[in-house]
């Protein structure tokens, strides 16, 4: 009886996840633990990163870089996907460290910026994102990373080797066409 109930719960959760993905009309780019990174989210972050580079090029005139080349665009997309995966690993780890405190701690970090209209307007121009998207895709992941750095520093640990180890242990599946996960990073197929 208990086995049947457990199997039913697992099927309901799996079915709910599949329903969510298809209901939202989103193809998966990657799965990290229990977090799904949709292709739509990858596209949004890719466009923001590309816009950032294009504006930087207009400002600083970067030479010998063709921002429209297939190789640059593929590497940028690979890098953005890897960044989203790292953010998901950090988020999962912080959930285990802070539990329900995490949301409050992240909010405390981003509140000063959230209320700075000038910064939000500049971010909108730089990344092409509205303020809510900027907070969700840029500020919150950065706040989580800072919280992790603070936590590890208190334990006298460096974030880079710690994170490298956690990333190797993470359950990651890359579904985005043209990319693969090699156990430590996203690579171009």
């Amino acid at each position: 009886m208990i086995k049947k109930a457990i199997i039913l719960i697992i099927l309901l959760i799996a079915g709910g996840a599949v329903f969510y993905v298809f209901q939202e009309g989103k193809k998966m780019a990657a799965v990290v633990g229990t977090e799904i990174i949709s292709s739509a989210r990858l596209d949004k972050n890719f466009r923001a990163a590309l816009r950032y580079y294009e504006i930087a090029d207009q400002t600083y005139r970067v030479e010998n870089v063709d921002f429209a080349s297939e190789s640059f665009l593929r590497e940028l997309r690979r890098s953005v996907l890897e960044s989203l995966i790292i953010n998901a690993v950090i988020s999962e780890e912080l959930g285990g460290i802070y539990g329900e405190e995490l949301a409050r701690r992240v909010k405390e970090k981003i509140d000063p910026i959230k209320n700075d209209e000038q910064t939000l307007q500049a971010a909108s121009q730089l990344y092409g994102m509205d303020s809510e998207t900027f907070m969700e895709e840029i500020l919150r992941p950065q706040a989580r990373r800072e919280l992790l750095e603070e936590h590890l520093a208190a334990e006298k640990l460096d974030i880079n080797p710690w994170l490298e180890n956690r990333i190797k242990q993470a359950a990651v599946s890359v579904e985005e066409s043209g990319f693969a996960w090699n156990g430590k990073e996203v690579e171009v197929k």
Side-chain angles (χ1 to χ4, degrees), residues 7 11 42 59 75 77 86 93 100 109 112 147 185 188:
I7 291 172
L11 288 174
L42 173 59
T59 304
E75 174 55 25
R77 191 167 185 84
I86 292 168
E93 289 296 325
E100 295 189 18
K109 288 226 173 253
L147 285 169
E185 63 188 3
V188 177

Side-chain angles (χ1 to χ4, degrees), residues 83-169:
S83 177
L84 290 170
I85 289 169
I86 292 168
N87 290 343
V89 169
I90 289 172
S91 186
E92 185 174 301
E93 289 296 325
L94 285 176
I97 294 168
Y98 293 113
E100 295 189 18
E101 283 277 304
L102 180 59
R104 182 187 59 78
R105 288 177 179 257
V106 169
K107 184 179 181 311
E108 287 173 355
K109 288 226 173 253
I110 67 171
D111 272 352
I113 299 167
K114 184 179 180 179
N115 297 322
D116 182 351
E117 196 58 42
Q118 188 175 6
T119 299
L120 294 177
Q121 186 177 10
S124 175
Q125 291 173 343
L126 187 59
Y127 294 102
M129 296 176 160
D130 61 51
S131 60
E132 189 56 41
T133 303
F134 174 70
M135 284 186 288
E136 186 61 36
E137 299 298 333
I138 307 292
L139 290 183
R140 284 188 181 97
Q142 182 59 36
R144 288 184 197 108
R145 185 177 183 99
E146 289 174 14
L147 285 169
L148 180 59
E149 287 173 342
E150 292 166 6
H151 175 78
L152 293 173
E155 295 184 8
K156 299 189 182 346
L157 295 171
D158 181 9
I159 190 170
N160 293 324
W162 186 92
L163 191 54
E164 186 177 307
N165 186 43
R166 286 300 188 271
I167 289 168
K168 287 178 185 175
Q169 296 172 3

Side-chain angles (χ1 to χ4, degrees), residues 4-143:
K4 287 182 182 180
I6 291 172
I7 291 172
L8 180 61
I9 290 171
I10 291 171
L11 288 174
L12 286 172
I13 291 171
V18 170
F19 176 77
Y20 167 77
V21 169
F22 288 111
Q23 178 68 18
E24 295 296 315
K26 298 176 184 172
K27 188 177 131 221
M28 289 187 290
V31 179
V32 183
T34 59
E35 184 174 336
I36 296 171
I37 300 171
S38 70
S39 289
R41 183 171 176 213
L42 173 59
D43 290 343
K44 178 175 30 178
N45 281 269
F46 170 76
R47 285 189 306 273
L50 183 58
R51 181 178 172 113
Y52 173 87
Y53 277 106
E54 288 170 344
I55 289 173
D57 182 46
Q58 292 170 4
T59 304
Y60 303 110
R61 297 290 175 216
V62 179
E63 293 184 24
N64 300 323
V65 177
D66 180 3
F67 293 105
S69 73
E70 185 177 327
S71 63
F72 175 81
L73 296 173
R74 181 166 285 301
E75 174 55 25
L76 182 61
R77 191 167 185 84
R78 185 209 65 76
S79 177
V80 168
L81 179 56
E82 188 170 289
S83 177
L84 290 170
I85 289 169
I86 292 168
N87 290 343
V89 169
I90 289 172
S91 186
E92 185 174 301
E93 289 296 325
L94 285 176
I97 294 168
Y98 293 113
E100 295 189 18
E101 283 277 304
L102 180 59
R104 182 187 59 78
R105 288 177 179 257
V106 169
K107 184 179 181 311
E108 287 173 355
K109 288 226 173 253
I110 67 171
D111 272 352
I113 299 167
K114 184 179 180 179
N115 297 322
D116 182 351
E117 196 58 42
Q118 188 175 6
T119 299
L120 294 177
Q121 186 177 10
S124 175
Q125 291 173 343
L126 187 59
Y127 294 102
M129 296 176 160
D130 61 51
S131 60
E132 189 56 41
T133 303
F134 174 70
M135 284 186 288
E136 186 61 36
E137 299 298 333
I138 307 292
L139 290 183
R140 284 188 181 97
Q142 182 59 36

